[in-house]
Amino acid sequence: MIERLAQIDRRWIFLAMGLSIAIPVLLQMQFPEIPGSQSQAVFDAIEQLKPGDRVLMAWDYEPSTEGELGPMATAFARQCCEKGVRMYFVTLIPVGEKMIDKTIDNVLRADFPNLVEGVDYVNLGFKAGYEGVIKVIVTDLRKLYTTDANGTNIDLIPMCRDVQNIQQMKLIVNVSGSYPGSKEWVQYAATPYKINMVAGCTGVQSPLMYPYIPHQCQGLLGAIKGASEYETLVAEKYLSENPDPKYMEARRRMGPQLVAHLLMILLIVAGNVVYFAQRRSGGVAG
Amino acid sequence: MKRLIPLLITAIGGFVLIVAFFIPAWQASGETVAVWFDILASIAFILGGGNLLKVHLQHISDRRAGWGYSVVTLLAFLLTLWFGCCKTNAPPAPNTEYYGESFASLPLEALPEFSVAGTLPVRGDDKPLPASVRRQVRAEDGSLYFRGWMNPDQITELMSYQDSLEWQASVEELANTAQPPPELEGKVFYRADHGALAFRGMMREADRSALERLFAEHPAGTAAVAQLWEASRRETSVEIATAPPGLAIPDSQSEVVSLDGSRLSIRGPMSESLRRQLSIDWTHPERMRPFTADQTTALLKELTDSGLPMSPALEVAVNEELGKLWRPEALVLAINSAGIPAPEEKSASELFTEMRAGERNLQRLKPAGPAVQLNAAQIARIEAFAFDPAITVESLEEGLRQDGDWTGAQAAALGRFLSQQPTLAEFRRSLTQTLLRQARIEGVLLPRESIERLLADSRAQADWQRNVDVLFRAAHVVKFPWSGAYDAAGTPFGWIYEFIFQPLTATMFALLAFYVASAAFRAFRAKNAEAILLLGTAFIILLVQTPLGVWLTAWVPDSLSALRADELKRYIMSLFNTAGNRAIMIGIALGVVATSLKILLGIDRSYLGSGDD
């Protein structure tokens, strides 16, 4: 038995992983979520904003991490819309513009048709230069952004007329999937210029962000779990009992995550059982 | 030289950035260097593309192992580059197309110049005049001159150039002067950025005469007017199957838009507001009003008679859909809100006059007039209108005027409110979607014929709007074909992104789950104390990242709450992880400082390559 387990073809493991994700998705498994302290901190940071406050929405992710970060971006946008803040979307990643468009189409235009582009929100789009872009716009926005993503002169956009740099933002909301992302926004904008910031990032990135919490980054949503907790908070305050499915994406994804994580634990245990059994029989060097 | 120049660029750029960080006075230099960094980075992209071509062509030429992948890479690169750079099939940008306007080239010098007394303000930062007006504004001998007609955006930009009342009053005066003759107001514009004279809609004889008088002394202007005359009267037609039964083209527009049998025609370009009017407003669609209990019963009966299996859940869904319709209170609120006059802002000239008269406490707003609110009779009339389809909007408005005070703003609010309500066709489409959704939940199949009957009005409305859209596009002459977004929906680039790039990158990332699972089984072994610590931590984090972790340890009493899974995760992440990460970060930072200094001082030149080639 142990021998067979030790020699198991990895394709069986792939199949088990595939099923552990597919079955909960097909069964639409969902679990109640209890928000943690970080999700609460993120929620509170946005809740404290007043209508008309300026918020920089830095969407630094791409399709590869959209599954993990898309739901939190949607929930961020929803809460910001509910608060009536002015949203300035930017991205440091070329395909980030598509992510911004998706958020604007799915949340702002679909559920808040009263919001006016250029007055309530603006998509400033992508600029090449990684953290170099942050370093410039933190002191002079117009040096890099002379137009928005549609090519409209920034001086003709009502909500941009009085903005000299991003130090005038009340909050930076960053969704980050890789480099450049949350870390760069903390290092080049939030910390040196004391701008409040909350972030949402992938599970791989989140351990790297913890050293900045809570002084340099007020709150952090780590991976789909953080998104799910935050989504619960937003839904409880602003959405009806049966919200639109787009506002339940993170919670829907917790079902596959639970089963996949249990499988991982099972595989680690099985691997160690094999390891110790083989060591006892002298098959593996300790 | 080949190595010295990059070395100098690196050293100068690096030192300027360091100095700019510590000395605020050098901040602007730091920004300039950062912008240059961006420019150089862009050049690096070009070099990177060249290198990619070279490497993969070499691979293919040498028939090395996996050369087929190189072919795929090159094809993907070249196709993306082609579609991105050539903007193949990309629609022009709406903000540069000026829909509804015809353009004719005309040099700025052909336009009249206007002047008022005034001077250009002196700014401490030497900031030049806004780019949009720079070529048109000049100051000479105590007068301000503006060539052409000032548009609202130019007025805004010029006003914000300096916030002194004297300057803003001068701009206001200049803007009032620099306008086309009254008979051409709102019809003719000068688009300085494009060097074009623009005419909105179809030009009539009177407009042509007025324009010819205006440019009588300028042959270029006369030629432009002739060109505009041709362009703005070009006839465009589309064949349509049927027109909406309620379609009525207003007399004032009958010369512009016409329907002759199955031929829908327009003379000149179609503006977006005209498109909206022709699509919806002129078809006079029935707008939804709240339903009475009898109307609800009648609707349910109609649905049942049409063959729909109306279960209690489907009836609830219908009632929910009806609940979304407006209520009389909402209309009363909208009209009452419009009855509160917004305080009017004083013009800069008025404020400047007050200031010169010695007023110290300047008030930007004029006192608002008294609020006009609906009285009981008017509210009763609105409630009657809401539930009685026999009362028309016109008779409602007439009645409201007779019953009490009624302002233009309130009349506008009434029209706006009702025009925002769904049409009968839109309501039926929304109702169908709700019914289909509910039927799917219940596992019931709704008869296709019933659904088609419900959607018939909506389909007819969509067909008409499609016809109008076709006419809109056909009547428009594209002015700037390259102005659109290369990745707009429907373009080849958009398709590459949507259907190749997006799924592929998502798949690549998702593959991680499979490899991590395999690695967890084969490599995550408790071989020693460190590995056991790592294993334990991984167990906790894996569990806590799911709802199960919290649920499993929820029974732990409050006195031992530190042992709950979420608390354990918090300790691990905020204590052990943070401590470890900080140590690593400090180490990296010291390493970066040391390495950067070596690079800036030219001690470490490894980044310049071997120097052999």
Side-chain angles (χ1 to χ4, degrees):
Chain A
M1 173 68 182
I2 294 292
E3 271 311 305
R4 285 186 65 185
L5 202 57
Q7 300 302 323
I8 190 169
D9 190 323
R10 64 179 174 173
R11 281 173 291 188
W12 287 109
I13 298 174
F14 292 168
L15 179 67
M17 180 52 87
L19 289 174
S20 73
I21 292 167
I23 292 171
V25 168
L26 294 173
L27 296 179
Q28 299 188 353
M29 287 168 66
Q30 277 192 43
F31 303 94
E33 201 61 67
I34 302 169
S37 57
Q38 281 307 312
S39 315
Q40 190 68 52
V42 170
F43 182 79
D44 292 344
I46 299 177
E47 269 309 282
Q48 284 164 10
L49 297 170
K50 296 183 183 68
D53 280 350
R54 297 190 182 101
V55 178
L56 186 80
M57 316 282 271
W59 266 210
D60 301 325
Y61 66 102
E62 51 191 354
S64 61
T65 47
E66 201 204 348
E68 205 171 354
L69 302 173
M72 64 176 79
T74 302
F76 273 138
R78 175 78 200 205
Q79 195 188 1
C80 287
C81 289
E82 294 284 358
K83 291 300 295 176
V85 297
R86 283 181 284 174
M87 292 165 275
Y88 298 77
F89 287 93
V90 294
T91 178
L92 304 175
I93 293 186
V95 282
E97 261 188 37
K98 287 280 180 191
M99 305 294 110
I100 296 175
D101 288 342
K102 206 167 187 175
T103 303
I104 290 176
D105 287 342
N106 287 350
V107 181
L108 278 68
R109 289 195 183 126
D111 296 339
F112 297 87
N114 55 321
L115 297 186
V116 180
E117 187 167 9
V119 177
D120 303 297
Y121 66 92
V122 62
N123 177 7
L124 294 173
F126 161 74
K127 285 284 172 230
Y130 306 124
E131 60 267 44
V133 174
I134 308 176
K135 278 187 73 66
V136 174
I137 63 174
V138 81
T139 51
D140 191 349
L141 183 72
R142 279 167 180 73
K143 264 216 164 132
L144 281 182
Y145 286 99
T146 50
T147 67
D148 70 355
N150 302 321
T152 309
N153 185 337
I154 198 168
D155 290 321
L156 298 179
I157 301 171
M159 63 188 287
C160 290
R161 274 189 202 126
D162 302 330
V163 180
Q164 302 306 319
N165 54 50
I166 61 166
Q167 292 174 49
Q168 289 167 269
M169 301 290 156
K170 282 277 179 190
L171 185 72
I172 296 172
V173 178
N174 176 241
V175 183
S176 149
S178 56
Y179 163 81
S182 306
K183 198 168 178 172
E184 285 67 35
W185 282 104
V186 168
Q187 289 178 339
Y188 297 103
T191 307
Y193 297 94
K194 301 198 168 27
I195 310 169
N196 287 338
M197 173 176 164
V198 292
C201 59
T202 56
V204 180
Q205 273 185 306
S206 59
L208 305 175
M209 286 299 294
Y210 267 87
Y212 300 118
I213 295 170
H215 299 299
Q216 291 148 287
C217 180
Q218 276 66 51
L220 177 73
L221 303 181
I224 205 72
K225 169 75 172 156
S228 169
E229 293 174 1
Y230 173 66
E231 205 177 70
T232 306
L233 287 166
V234 174
E236 277 174 4
K237 173 132 192 196
Y238 294 113
L239 300 171
S240 61
E241 272 185 25
N242 294 311
D244 192 297
K246 69 186 169 207
Y247 297 117
M248 298 174 68
E249 279 299 312
R251 281 172 284 176
R252 279 183 51 223
R253 287 168 204 197
M254 285 309 290
Q257 172 140 320
L258 168 66
V259 182
H261 278 205
L262 288 179
L263 176 70
M264 293 282 291
I265 291 171
L266 192 74
L267 286 171
I268 293 171
V269 171
N272 279 282
V273 168
V274 170
Y275 169 70
F276 283 112
Q278 287 181 333
R279 202 162 77 161
R280 189 173 295 168
S281 62
V284 173
Chain B
M1 205 58 177
K2 205 168 151 187
R3 293 162 70 87
L4 184 67
I5 291 173
L7 191 68
L8 278 175
I9 292 173
T10 311
I12 293 168
F15 280 118
V16 170
L17 281 173
I18 292 172
V19 173
F21 184 81
F22 291 105
I23 303 172
W26 275 62
Q27 205 173 49
S29 314
E31 286 166 14
T32 308
V33 169
V35 171
W36 272 100
F37 167 79
D38 290 344
I39 295 167
L40 286 175
S42 313
I43 296 170
F45 276 120
I46 298 169
L47 294 178
N51 196 41
L52 183 129
L53 279 175
K54 184 182 151 192
V55 168
H56 286 280
L57 283 174
Q58 190 73 50
H59 256 249
I60 296 166
S61 167
D62 296 350
R63 290 285 197 278
R64 285 189 211 156
W67 66 272
Y69 296 114
S70 290
V71 173
V72 174
T73 307
L74 277 185
L75 274 178
F77 173 69
L78 293 173
L79 281 176
T80 313
L81 194 68
W82 172 262
F83 289 133
C85 291
C86 296
K87 294 191 172 182
T88 317
N89 208 23
N95 59 345
T96 57
E97 277 304 299
Y98 299 96
Y99 290 109
E101 291 182 16
S102 306
F103 272 25
S105 294
L106 184 67
L108 181 62
E109 293 67 37
L111 279 118
E113 193 171 49
F114 305 89
S115 70
V116 294
T119 52
L120 283 177
V122 179
R123 281 181 59 118
D125 59 358
D126 291 332
K127 188 179 172 183
L129 281 167
S132 65
V133 293
R134 213 171 288 161
R135 285 179 299 151
Q136 291 170 274
V137 175
R138 69 185 176 93
E140 206 174 283
D141 303 331
S143 292
L144 273 175
Y145 294 88
F146 188 89
R147 190 174 284 280
W149 305 303
M150 208 184 288
N151 65 45
D153 288 340
Q154 289 177 317
I155 298 171
T156 310
E157 285 206 66
L158 211 47
M159 293 271 265
S160 58
Y161 182 60
Q162 199 185 57
D163 53 6
S164 76
L165 276 178
E166 186 180 0
W167 167 248
Q168 291 182 344
S170 301
V171 172
E172 221 167 63
E173 198 185 343
L174 188 59
N176 289 335
T177 315
Q179 294 299 329
E183 63 270 28
L184 291 171
E185 205 174 326
K187 294 179 183 174
V188 68
F189 310 91
Y190 185 70
R191 305 294 179 197
D193 288 347
H194 310 293
L197 184 69
F199 192 87
R200 182 173 289 166
M202 189 191 80
M203 194 186 288
R204 292 178 167 86
E205 268 299 344
D207 304 322
R208 186 187 189 179
S209 306
L211 277 168
E212 281 174 345
R213 276 197 304 277
L214 198 63
F215 294 108
E217 293 171 15
H218 292 277
T222 316
V225 173
Q227 205 179 327
L228 283 179
W229 171 259
E230 289 296 324
S232 71
R233 295 183 68 87
R234 189 174 67 99
E235 186 167 337
T236 315
S237 305
V238 290
E239 288 292 325
I240 59 165
T242 50
L247 179 69
I249 298 166
D251 291 342
S252 60
Q253 294 290 335
S254 59
E255 202 185 339
V256 180
V257 181
S258 59
L259 180 65
D260 182 11
S262 63
R263 201 171 177 75
L264 181 67
S265 307
I266 185 169
R267 288 176 81 91
M270 191 189 290
S271 67
E272 290 188 82
S273 65
L274 183 58
R275 173 164 71 163
R276 194 167 48 251
Q277 287 171 324
L278 186 55
S279 299
I280 296 281
D281 301 347
W282 295 354
T283 64
H284 302 97
E286 187 182 339
R287 297 276 175 191
M288 291 305 291
R289 300 189 198 179
F291 267 41
T292 60
D294 289 345
Q295 286 171 317
T296 306
T297 312
L299 176 66
L300 289 171
K301 184 173 180 305
E302 183 200 329
L303 293 174
T304 311
D305 292 347
S306 71
L308 288 172
M310 293 302 290
S311 64
L314 284 181
E315 284 189 14
V316 169
V318 172
N319 279 315
E320 276 180 10
E321 199 60 32
L322 289 171
K324 292 177 190 169
L325 296 173
W326 60 278
R327 308 294 308 161
E329 304 83 56
L331 179 53
V332 170
L333 183 66
I335 294 174
N336 277 340
S337 303
I340 303 168
E344 197 185 336
E345 209 164 308
K346 289 179 191 167
S347 67
S349 307
E350 285 172 318
L351 286 167
F352 186 56
T353 309
E354 284 181 24
M355 193 180 82
R356 289 180 71 177
E359 177 63 56
R360 289 179 168 223
N361 187 20
L362 289 174
Q363 301 292 324
R364 284 202 165 267
L365 300 175
K366 292 177 184 172
V372 175
Q373 300 290 281
L374 294 172
N375 58 35
Q378 287 172 312
I379 292 172
R381 194 175 282 278
I382 285 173
E383 281 170 353
F385 164 80
F387 296 104
D388 185 354
I391 305 175
T392 63
V393 180
E394 292 74 22
S395 63
L396 167 72
E397 201 176 337
E398 185 55 38
L400 290 170
R401 195 173 290 115
Q402 286 167 5
D403 288 344
D405 292 338
W406 183 248
T407 65
Q410 287 178 312
L414 172 68
R416 198 166 46 244
F417 182 91
L418 293 177
S419 69
Q420 285 168 350
Q421 304 315 316
T423 62
L424 178 64
E426 286 164 350
F427 170 76
R428 284 182 169 255
R429 186 183 58 203
S430 174
L431 178 67
T432 311
Q433 286 166 346
T434 306
L435 289 172
L436 285 170
R437 198 161 40 239
Q438 188 59 40
R440 194 162 58 241
I441 293 168
E442 288 188 15
V444 182
L445 207 60
L446 299 182
R448 188 178 178 83
E449 301 75 39
S450 312
I451 294 301
E452 285 301 324
R453 209 168 298 139
L454 274 173
L455 288 175
D457 289 345
S458 164
R459 290 203 199 288
Q461 186 177 313
D463 282 344
W464 171 248
Q465 286 175 351
R466 205 172 300 118
N467 286 328
V468 175
D469 287 348
V470 170
L471 184 64
F472 174 81
R473 280 199 300 276
H476 178 71
V477 177
V478 174
K479 300 178 181 82
F480 305 100
W482 268 27
S483 61
Y486 61 92
D487 57 349
T491 59
F493 195 96
W495 277 73
I496 289 175
Y497 170 81
E498 193 79 33
F499 301 111
I500 299 179
F501 181 77
Q502 189 167 308
L504 280 181
T505 50
T507 306
M508 290 298 290
F509 199 72
L511 281 178
L512 271 180
F514 296 91
Y515 289 111
V516 168
S518 179
F521 178 69
R522 297 186 191 284
F524 217 165
R525 304 272 160 94
K527 290 180 180 172
N528 49 40
E530 291 91 335
I532 291 169
L533 273 178
L534 198 62
L535 209 58
T537 312
F539 261 72
I540 295 168
I541 298 294
L542 277 171
L543 263 182
V544 179
Q545 284 295 86
T546 68
L548 187 67
V550 179
W551 181 77
L552 278 176
T553 54
W555 58 271
V556 175
D558 284 346
S559 54
L560 297 171
S561 62
L563 295 175
R564 285 182 188 156
D566 49 342
E567 283 297 304
L568 282 174
K569 180 198 163 190
R570 201 167 64 82
Y571 290 137
I572 290 168
M573 295 305 279
S574 57
L575 288 178
F576 302 109
N577 164 68
T578 300
N581 258 315
R582 279 193 177 141
I584 293 168
M585 281 161 67
I586 292 168
I588 291 173
L590 291 173
V592 167
V593 170
T595 312
S596 301
L597 277 175
K598 281 168 74 180
I599 290 173
L600 295 182
L601 295 170
I603 298 166
D604 181 351
R605 301 183 184 193
S606 55
Y607 69 98
L608 294 170
S610 61
D612 297 339
D613 47 0

